Amino acid sequence: MDAIRSYLQGDGAVILPEMELVLFGLGILLIDFWIEERDKYLNAVLALAGTLFSGGTLWMLRGRVAASGGVLVGFHESAVVDGFVLFFGALFLASTALVILLSVKFMQIEKEQEGEYYALLLFACVGMMLMASGVDLIVMFLGLETMALSFYVLTGFLRREKRSNEAALKYVLLGAFSSGILAYGFSLLYGLSASTNIGAIGAALGQRNQLVQAILRSQQPGEAGEQMRQLLAARLPVALNFDPFTLQILPMLAFVLVLVGLLFKVAAVPFHQWAPDVYEGAPTPVSAYISIASKTASFALLLRLLLLVFASSQPTWIYLIAGIAIASLTWGNLAALTQTNIKRLLAYSSISHVGYILLGLVGGNETGLIGIAYYLFAYVFMTAGAFAVVIVLRQKGLIGEELEDLNGLYQRSPASAVLLLIFMLSLAGIPPTAGFMGKYFIFLSLIESHHPLLALFAVLYIVPALYYYFRIVAHAWLKQPGEAPQPLMTSAQAIALGVAVFVSLAAGLYPEPFYKLAKYAFGQ
Amino acid sequence: MDFLAHHILSVVLFTPLVGALLLLFVPRERDAVHRIVGNLFGALGFLVSLPLLRWFKPGWGGFQFEETADWIPSIGAKYHLGIDGISLLLVMLTTFLGMIAILSSWSAIKLRQKEYYILLLLLQVGMIGVFVSLDFFLFYVFWEVMLVPMYFLIGVWGSDRRLYAAIKFFLYTLAGSVVMLLAILALYFYAPVEPGATRTFDIPTLLAAAQTFTDPLKVWLFWGFFFAFAIKVPMFPFHTWLPDAHTEAPTAGSVILAGVLLKMGTYGFIRFSLPLLPADTAMRAKIIHIVIFLSLVGIIYGAIVCLMQKDMKRLIAYSSVSHLGFCTLGIFALNPNGLAGSVLQQINHGISTGALFLIVGVLYERRHTRLISEFGGLATPMPNFAAIYLIVSLSSLGMPLLNGFIGEFTILQGAFQVSKAWAAWGSLGVVLGAAYLLWLYQRVMFGPVTQFANEELPDLNLREYATLVPLVILAFWIGIYPKPFFALIDKPVQEIVHRVNPDFYKAEHANLAAPELQASRVQVK
Amino acid sequence: MLPIGNYLFLSMALFILGVIGVITRRNVIVVLMSIELILNAVNINLVAFSRLYGDVAGQVFALFIIADAAAEAAVGLGIIIAFFRNHETVLADEMDLLKW
Amino acid sequence: MTPSGYFLDHLWMIPLFPLVSAALMLFFGKQLPKAGVNVFCVGSVGLSFIYALGAVLQLLAADPEHRVAQQIMFEWLTPGPMQMTGGHLVRFVADWGLLLDPLSCVMVLVVTGVGFLIHVYSAGYMAHEGGYYRFFGYMNLFMFAMLTLVLANNLLLMFVGWEGVGLCSYLLIGFYFLKKSASDAGKKAFIVNRIGDAGFLLGLLLTAVTLGTIRFTSLGLPEAGGYSGILQSLEAAVHAGTLGYGAHVLTAIGLLLFVGAAGKSAQIPLYVWLPDAMEGPTPVSALIHAATMVTAGVYMVVRMNAVYQLAPFALDVIAVVGAVTAIFAASMALVQNDIKKVLAYSTISQLGYMFMALGVGAFAAGIFHLMTHAFFKALLFLGAGSVIHAMSGEQDLRKMGGLWSKIPKTATTFLIATLAICGAPPFAGFFSKDEILGNSFDRYRSLWFVGFITAGMTAFYMFRLFFLAFSGYSRADEHVEKHIHESPPSMTVPLMVLAGLSIVGGWIGWPGSLGGENRFERFLEPVLAGAVSETGAVKIAHHAKATEYLLMLLSISIAGAGIWLAYEFYRSKRIAPELLAEKWPRAYQLLLHKYYVDEIYDALIVNRVKDLSTLFGLFDAKVIDGVGVNGAGWLARFGSRVSMWWDKWVIDGLLNFGAKFLQLLSFPVRLLQSGMFSSYAMVILIGLVVLLAYYGHHMQTLLRGVH
Amino acid sequence: MLDKVIFYFFAAIAVSSAALMVTRRNAVHSAIFLITTLLATAGIFLQLRAEFIFIVQIILYVGGIMVLFIFVIMLVNLDVALHQLKFARQKWVALVVVLALAAQVGVMFWTTGKMQGQVWPGLNAAPVGKLPPGNAEAVAQSLFGTYLLPFEIASVLLLVAMIGAVVMAKKRA
């Protein structure tokens, strides 16, 4: 007992929330054997309890994190708990909880209310939390894979659905391919620093970068160059013969490989193509989960890597990121214009959101990071809300994924129509909603970092975005209802929608606490 | 009472919101209740704004009735309200037209009344908010918030091409406003701030800070704001949303759209764009020339396009392009006459064009068409209507003793002081204005009754009088005794001119030293 | 041990061949195998670096990569089987329900 | 001794009476019986006349140099400080103020007096028309506007009246709104007037920025120093040397204001509306389009005489325009067959006379002619109305004839008026016309000659009219023939009063050469003194008496010649007009079609504006729904190209092309999002390659300086 | 010298059989060639003195994963696939892109490799001369010391894989 307690006081604390989730997952797998078909919802209850429990633990950890100077380190510096982890962890747990709430009725209709489903949801969450808390390449990679594998399976969970099969197959093949690329990049990173700890890798790359700068300085004519030449000759004579570019080649290669691997996971153009297909084919709650949680987690990982490992070469890669961001914005918005399937449309829209978030990275200053956190936060809830409305539409005998299915939603269910409107406004970034505040910080950071043209691009893309979001709204509000039945909202769905809409509005109307939260994520 | 005195602007701002919330709880089937509550709060909104007029001190500079509360302290956004004479007039216009617009919907709207009144009231909140905000963040929020109800008003209760018109309206204005957002952010960021202090969104502070910016930066910011306001106004090349939106919107929507919404653009020009004009004379002249050119093109182009319209509402919509061209012309004349005239003309346009849309609404309600060719000879069955319509037309075309003339004349006077050519081109618009409005009037009202359906049209009923007569009275009031209106805007206008065009007051070297002139020289602070 | 470049080129060759397999083969099982090939290339890198530095971390990493490869293969094959049951094919370009 | 008295203190009541009555009519007239309408409307104008008379008498009681009464009721337009041309800031104010001086005395009496008579006449004439109350409402409104115009103490308030009379003219011309030609004519009048008004406004603004005020004078105000007037400012400027005789800015003001005057007073090129305006009821033509409103331009120019006296070029322009208009309109009147059209052209021609007078600097003569013209032209129109009344609405001269015995009162009065307009002594027209011709002879001989010829033409066409209508045999339909009857007393009494005025009205200006003392000119002298006394270049050197007699003789003889010619053509029929017409068919057609000016205007301006409107509309329509412009001409093609461009780039295109555009957009998406796994993987790979290449290149640029 | 011979031998086998794996029409053949590649790689691991990985490679990969593959290949219909095109339509474009990638990466490795005397962790550093004996022991130390957390995660990962495989492969209920 003491051993357990001391473990929990020490290393164990770092992964306590994850452990709880795993335990709950295993518990679900166990009790699933015993419960009757009609009581299967208990799986969901247990899963929800798991997220809440884990969330509670996360909340408790907050004090310990503060007590130990802002960061808890464990497992030989391979995992940490800090504001970043708490923020993202809470976000993952929240999205998992939302998805669980949304899944109950949906999976019942699909007749797939199984323990494995909920267990996989929890395991995916474990993976994501590890992605956020890992500071070791191996931990990160395994966390990513845990999440990814869970998602592959969840996507294909409707085994009788052809589209679900296909989506899962595409997802697993492409996902594994991108993981391979990522792993190749990781291997190079290891080769560059002889360590898998990202702090050490970052330091090694930083040193290399310093040397490159020194060499460049020494090549300049004049006094400063001369001084630097002498310094180098004294410290590291061989460096005088180095070509600075050659020194940076391998970090560059590693960077690009890692970036591609992760951009695939966040579905940035041109690595996005799996997303619409998978969103469409997957069970809708899973689409929501992939859309909100997987993306957020991958961003957490990307942020850790870019800000810790590749920080030294930041000025060189922001243009790369900016290009990807603009491509994502353009392509996402362009493609979304013509979609008729709501899930696909949301997929493309989420691609354009990735563009905005990446622009925050381009800004790169404090505002930009807060903006990313705020944006992701808002994104989770508003996207979850949007998917939730689609899920509410799903009835026996009605798939409810096409725009036409929304027709006259206002007459059929005013409440869901109003909610849908709020989510769409938030997604489009119209104040006073959370989506606007997220965009606000991103734009501000772009201006602060003197990228007015990028900012202009970014704001103008709100316009086509609004067009397709309001196509959804127009279908729901302005068209006459057809034969479609009245959607019935279960209480679980109502709770999920309530939470989503509360956050979407509160974070827009009174952003102060949310701003503090976002700031906390980056250590203030 | 004390509370009211200190929070009068908040009260004005949120009274319609209270109405909207109240309506939320009225069951859907109780249409009569919705109507009554909607109208009640429309009227109440106007009533609570009346004390503003009484308590406002025209002689004081700066903003009055200021209210400040923290909102998002971390980024320096505050809940900061306040008005000067210009915004006072616009707020009054908003509450007044709002009341009338709501009243005009009494029998015109039969579908989804609950939502209709809620949206109209929400729209009121947004518009008043824009005029009373003294914090950029708050301003922007209201600016955008107001788009949504308008979208639905057009989209749900509009006519045939409503979906198209609604989204077009939304996209156009949104395109402008997002660019404005950037400009606001840049203003926010570049404004000097003491180290350690939070930046601020306070409008007076930022505009004062903008004076210290370099000229190129100012120019960029200017165009950023310009784009948004030009779309809203709408100025010439950005006007194509307007005819569609106006045409498809329900009557009340058109009234509000023309009466108030467009003024947000001109208000923005006055409040935000002018202080951002660069100090360098050449640069400034270039900008002003572009803007004036667009205004003049708008005046003439709008008027000419009116001549070929077949749809009454479309015609009136285009006439707005022309009238608003006058407003921008006055603003960018950068002298007290031009500005004062422009502000007054904004009010006038709200009154006249609002009334014109009401008039079309009256016809539409009776005949369900807006095509000019469907009418003719209506003066016979509807003589009283004919009279009011005539007065409104005359007010719109700038007949002396009616409001339009006062505004147009003062604007032309302002423009004339800067460039005689501007005034000359502007006066061409006056000529054309008479042409299209009278032609419209002739085609609709004169001649024998050509259509069977028009023979027995009932004349105005009491409610329609109630919507139109106040506007007519106001039109006469401003036309005959505009002094109180000028008194309200005199101070802010002078302040603006002092800030953006100090040369106006400097250029006082005497070369025409008539003692009589000396005696009537204005005492300027 | 040979100069590290040799191992790098070897791993690159396997990586490239794996990539070729992924993007050209129609049979999804072969695609999955090609991905295994890529992961194998990664392992060569890791082990070579591990040898270079005399640091065992690379080998541990490689170990986990193998575990991951196994897991991916299991899930991937499972999905392939499910797919095959519904579609009666394992050809990549016959997955075309989801597009645009 | 400054003038004062009850009537002077209550000047504002003069326009108020008709206004109140008009409001009453327009709001409640429908409920009133006809008699009530008569009492209110005719009575209100009568009251105005009495008040005006009282005020004038009280003014006359004062010394000639103090005959100015001015009242500022409230400050009307106060838009803040205005910058004058020199950089001065002045507080621009337009008062709501009334000014009564000798000039406005004349006008106010003419307007209320003749107006009153016409109102009385209308009560008879309109007795059987529908919309009786509406008619009188408009008429009273017109009286209000006209009185505001003449009593205004500043240009802007004058503009109020100016526009107001235009509006009433529009309403009254279009009184028979069921008739399209009537409402068209009304609209045409308004719009053409508006063109002039634009000029007026610009002139007004130029005055304001040049002189810092638009008040005519500060005389008659309690503290004259605080309120500058145009006259005083001009004096000051001339003394200070900033403005002088012939200053360009004054010329500009003069010309711009004259554009306004040309519009209102139907001068070339803006005269086209007046003939059409005859669509209105005949009393309207008498009141508005003969006696009062159309002379507003003349009045305004005289009002601004201080400026004009310093702007010789502007005066020359006015003179020439006036002269050309006079002869041009007279020539068109020669062949018109519509009784009212003849009179309309005659009005234009007479107005031309007046402007010619102003142009040569004979302001008093112009006003004098204005007054006499009001008498006899009103009489002519009313007489014509009576004729039309008798002929059951027939207006075509070719279908009249032989009315002399059937409607003797009308005929007699008509003859008097005809003689007056021809300038036969000692009728009113003789004195005023002679004054004008004499003055122009001194200034420009050529102008005199034009006027001289015009006088002959006037005599000819007026007597042609007279002979065609009243002499010979009746050419009317039998049906009409039976109903011919003399008009009721309410119509004939005004005729007789006006006839009396047409005879004696000119006597107050009995010229010195004929033993009189030309009181009229002396009366007006204080107003016409100008800003500077020595700018006499415009003033006419007094000519020898002999010349004067000669001129008089000449004009009498040319009138006689005209009358004789008309007699030969239409009474004795010794010369057949048809033969002439056949001999010079082109000339005849040209005259008959009024030189095709309307057609030319239509072709040059009206239709072009409409085309432009269509084009612009298409431009917008093009933007909106992408329909091709199949317009003619390069402009249309250009417009279409522009709008195509517009389509592409503006959100409209995005929306409007609708399906097609979206298809276009979806094409690349469809191409890439093929659903094919392999292609997805390859896109990832391409992305990788591109990123690597870009990043490598970027790095190389950074680190090696390679581009 | 021996190192060289061993390396080149295994490298040649690995590359050539990998190429064959990619190009064989029959999936079973591909699988066989993949096994060969994996075995050759194992040889290279051995050459690098990573005995533990060598064993894991052979047992887990060749013994476990590849059996799974072959099993699945047998399960799905083999005959049809034999008569179908083996490559996607885009193969030529694909080849160009892949060659471009190969060229990029190759040039990168090549230029880096040419640079001599790099002193910190990186390429061309002289290999550590002598490794401590007992590779398996070292790996274990590391695995249960520094990398305990990944080890724990790996268990979850494999659990997920197991559940996934079961869920996917089980026949519908």
Side-chain angles (χ1 to χ4, degrees), chain A residues 410-411 414 421 425 429-432 436-437 440-441 443-444 447-448 450 452 455-456 459-460 462-463 466-467 470 473-474 477-479 508-512 515-516, chain B residues 28 70-75 112 115 137 140-141 144-145 148 151-152 155-156 162-163 166-167 170-171 174-175 178-179 181-183 185-186 188-190 199 201 227:
Chain A
Y410 179 75
Q411 275 96 331
L421 171 66
L425 286 174
I430 306 291
F436 167 70
M437 287 308 298
Y440 160 84
F441 288 114
F443 297 151
L444 183 59
I447 285 183
E448 286 177 355
H450 303 285
L456 189 66
V459 294
L460 284 180
I462 293 183
V463 178
L466 186 100
Y467 175 70
F470 264 63
V473 172
W477 284 73
L478 309 182
K479 300 249 161 114
L509 280 170
Y510 191 60
E512 185 66 18
Y515 174 80
K516 295 227 168 89
Chain B
R28 179 174 307 282
D70 270 351
W71 178 25
I72 321 175
S74 317
I75 62 170
R112 300 203 214 165
E115 294 76 20
F137 205 86
Y140 186 76
V141 168
E144 296 259 311
V145 153
V148 180
Y151 169 82
F152 284 111
V156 178
R162 55 177 181 266
L163 285 181
I167 195 71
F170 204 153
L171 292 188
L174 187 74
V178 291
V179 176
L181 173 65
L182 273 196
L185 290 180
Y188 171 72
F189 171 65
Y190 284 107
R199 299 181 176 282
F201 274 108
F227 190 58

Side-chain angles (χ1 to χ4, degrees), chain D residues 4 24 64 79 87 115 152 161 182 261 310 312 339 344 374 402-403 421 469 501 512 571 581 624:
Chain D
S4 64
L24 206 64
L310 293 172
I339 184 167
L403 291 173
I421 196 175
L501 285 171
R571 182 73 186 94
I624 288 152

Side-chain angles (χ1 to χ4, degrees), chain D residues 209-227:
Chain D
V209 299
T210 313
L211 300 173
T213 178
I214 52 166
R215 194 178 292 115
F216 297 125
T217 175
S218 62
L219 296 177
L221 285 172
E223 29 170 349
Y227 301 86

Side-chain angles (χ1 to χ4, degrees), chain D residues 360-699:
Chain D
V360 299
F363 294 109
I367 291 294
F368 190 25
H369 193 60
L370 185 161
M371 184 182 79
T372 56
H373 175 257
F375 298 149
F376 58 69
K377 188 50 70 60
L379 176 53
L380 282 173
F381 266 112
L382 295 186
S386 184
V387 170
I388 295 167
H389 191 77
M391 299 289 295
S392 313
E394 182 57 64
Q395 299 195 11
D396 195 333
L397 284 172
R398 286 167 297 190
K399 296 192 177 156
M400 296 181 181
L403 291 173
W404 178 262
S405 53
K406 288 174 188 150
I407 44 172
K409 287 179 192 158
T410 307
T412 330
T413 50
F414 202 92
L415 181 62
I416 293 172
T418 312
L419 285 169
I421 196 175
C422 293
F427 295 96
F430 167 73
F431 299 100
S432 55
K433 194 178 276 186
D434 192 57
E435 194 79 2
I436 293 172
L437 287 175
N439 278 315
S440 46
F441 183 79
D442 292 336
R443 183 108 170 96
Y444 294 117
R445 297 272 152 89
S446 50
L447 286 183
W448 168 83
F449 187 70
V450 173
F452 176 71
I453 298 294
T454 310
M457 287 161 88
T458 309
F460 172 78
Y461 67 71
M462 281 316 296
F463 270 92
R464 166 178 176 267
L465 168 64
F466 181 79
F467 289 135
L468 280 176
F470 293 99
S471 66
Y473 304 101
S474 173
R475 296 179 292 277
D477 302 336
E478 262 178 52
H479 185 66
V480 174
E481 183 86 43
K482 270 185 258 170
H483 288 88
I484 296 179
H485 58 281
E486 183 57 286
S487 305
S490 66
M491 288 168 71
T492 48
V493 171
L495 290 183
M496 288 185 254
V497 176
L498 282 171
L501 285 171
S502 300
I503 299 170
V504 303
W507 297 355
I508 54 165
W510 201 285
S513 52
L514 293 182
E517 42 193 19
N518 205 347
R519 284 194 196 167
F520 191 78
E521 199 174 324
R522 289 244 309 282
F523 174 60
L524 285 180
E525 209 135 80
V527 184
L528 303 178
V532 204
S533 47
E534 60 268 27
T535 53
V538 191
K539 296 259 186 237
I540 299 135
H542 258 283
H543 39 72
K545 270 201 174 159
T547 329
E548 213 163 309
Y549 291 134
L550 181 67
L551 288 178
M552 254 180 229
L553 211 61
L554 275 175
S555 52
I556 292 170
S557 54
I558 185 92
I563 295 169
W564 171 77
L565 208 59
Y567 182 82
E568 292 296 308
F569 269 102
Y570 299 105
R571 182 73 186 94
S572 69
K573 299 266 168 84
R574 259 175 287 199
I575 311 168
E578 292 79 13
L579 283 178
L580 277 183
E582 271 167 34
K583 202 166 177 185
W584 291 298
R586 287 216 180 140
Y588 177 74
Q589 287 298 328
L590 194 64
L591 289 179
L592 193 64
H593 286 105
K594 305 158 241 169
Y595 296 101
Y596 298 97
V597 169
D598 275 335
E599 285 77 3
I600 292 170
Y601 278 11
D602 274 353
L604 279 185
I605 299 167
V606 180
N607 289 340
R608 293 292 78 76
V609 172
K610 282 184 184 168
D611 285 352
L612 206 59
S613 164
T614 316
L615 180 68
F616 284 0
L618 277 178
F619 174 80
D620 270 25
K622 174 74 188 160
V623 170
I624 288 152
D625 35 30
V627 179
V629 180
N630 48 357
W634 69 269
L635 198 57
R637 277 197 294 279
F638 175 74
S640 118
R641 205 164 293 156
V642 167
S643 46
M644 282 297 283
W645 175 87
W646 201 236
D647 276 345
K648 266 187 197 162
W649 295 104
V650 180
I651 197 83
D652 271 5
L654 196 141
L655 297 165
N656 295 327
F657 272 123
K660 265 189 192 168
F661 186 79
L662 287 181
Q663 252 171 21
L664 201 71
L665 270 189
S666 70
F667 177 70
V669 179
R670 279 164 188 262
L671 197 70
L672 276 188
Q673 200 74 24
S674 57
M676 299 289 164
F677 158 77
S678 325
S679 74
Y680 291 5
M682 195 171 76
V683 171
I684 294 180
L685 203 68
I686 293 174
L688 177 63
V689 170
V690 169
L691 283 191
L692 262 182
Y694 170 75
Y695 201 23
H697 176 76
H698 185 68
M699 275 289 204

Side-chain angles (χ1 to χ4, degrees), chain B residues 13 25 30 59 91 107 109 121 136 145 148 189 275 315 335 361 424 482:
Chain B
L13 177 58
F25 296 105
R30 310 289 297 275
V91 168
S107 61
I109 301 298
L121 289 170
F136 262 123
V145 153
V148 180
F189 171 65
L315 193 154
N335 52 31

